[in-house]
Amino acid sequence: SIRHVLHRKKVCLALIARQQKCDDPAGSLDHQWVTRWLDDVGLPQYKDTFLEARVDGRVLNFLTVEDLFNLKVTNLLHHLSIKRGIQVLRENNFEPSCLKRRGVPGERDSLVVHTDVVFWTNHRVMEWLRHVDLSEYAPTSEEVEFMGPSWSLRSDSQQSYSHHCCLFPIPRHCCGATWRFM
């Protein structure tokens, strides 16, 4: 008798994957990878609960809002960050290397495009803020609650600079010059 609801879910999903004998790239990501991914999405405070629940890639792929509450994720922005992070993984067939943890040596700001930002990890966002002389807005990883994919929750081009400034404590007068890559 398995008591933890997510342990039961993990076993059920593994059995279904085994019965269907289909390609399951999410199933190749273990619970240790998921805890590192939480660092990438800027939510390291949930590592212990995800680890205790043994959330692996397969379970991550099928997380529900109820599951997030069971994992003690109650903040709406955290829900959105996890949701968007999972969406990016799905769009990239759960390829673990799709996220960009570091900038490319010699990369110029003019070469940064919106589509690249979606793959930026929390660390890469902080690195970029320091690079564009906004280091005062690059909080420590303990204070961060988003990643690159959260910057692009809307896929249309109507997204305003002020949306991005809300993610940081950046004054509006700094936003126009700062977010040109969008």
Side-chain angles (χ1 to χ4, degrees):
S1 68
I2 301 172
R3 291 197 175 123
H4 197 293
V5 66
L6 289 173
H7 291 176
R8 284 195 303 269
K9 185 173 194 164
K10 182 175 182 169
V11 170
C12 288
L13 290 172
L15 289 172
I16 290 168
R18 185 177 175 128
Q19 288 173 346
Q20 293 180 349
K21 297 180 183 176
C22 59
D23 186 32
D24 182 18
S28 67
L29 305 176
D30 66 10
H31 65 278
Q32 295 292 342
W33 184 89
V34 171
T35 58
R36 287 189 302 274
W37 176 81
L38 287 168
D39 280 327
D40 289 341
V41 297
L43 298 171
Q45 64 269 38
Y46 299 113
K47 287 168 65 170
D48 288 340
T49 57
F50 273 66
L51 189 60
E52 181 184 319
R54 297 293 191 259
V55 175
D56 60 6
R58 192 177 287 128
V59 174
L60 186 69
N61 190 23
F62 289 99
L63 279 180
T64 65
V65 172
E66 183 179 340
D67 293 336
L68 289 175
F69 281 112
N70 286 329
L71 291 164
K72 298 177 179 64
V73 181
T74 57
N75 182 299
L76 180 59
L77 183 57
H78 297 185
H79 279 237
L80 292 174
S81 292
I82 290 171
K83 180 179 177 179
R84 182 62 177 133
I86 293 169
Q87 182 181 0
V88 167
L89 289 172
R90 285 177 183 154
E91 290 170 357
N92 290 278
N93 206 28
F94 281 85
E95 174 57 46
S97 62
C98 71
L99 300 176
K100 297 181 181 186
R101 291 181 171 87
R102 302 267 186 238
V104 177
E107 179 180 60
R108 295 189 332 238
D109 293 334
S110 61
L111 299 177
V112 176
V113 293
H114 177 70
T115 55
D116 289 342
V117 175
V118 165
F119 301 105
W120 286 8
T121 63
N122 170 56
H123 178 80
R124 176 66 179 105
V125 170
M126 299 304 114
E127 182 182 81
W128 178 79
L129 285 169
R130 289 180 188 98
H131 178 74
V132 295
D133 294 327
L134 289 174
S135 58
E136 66 269 26
Y137 303 111
T140 65
S141 60
E142 293 81 33
E143 299 171 312
V144 176
E145 300 175 345
F146 63 90
M147 67 178 252
S150 298
W151 289 16
S152 58
L153 289 169
R154 291 179 51 194
S155 59
D156 60 28
S157 59
Q158 300 300 315
Q159 197 165 353
S160 68
Y161 297 134
S162 61
H163 164 78
H164 298 94
C165 292
C166 290
L167 294 174
F168 301 97
I170 300 177
R172 288 188 181 268
H173 70 276
C174 295
C175 292
T178 305
W179 304 100
R180 289 185 187 154
F181 65 89
M182 298 301 289

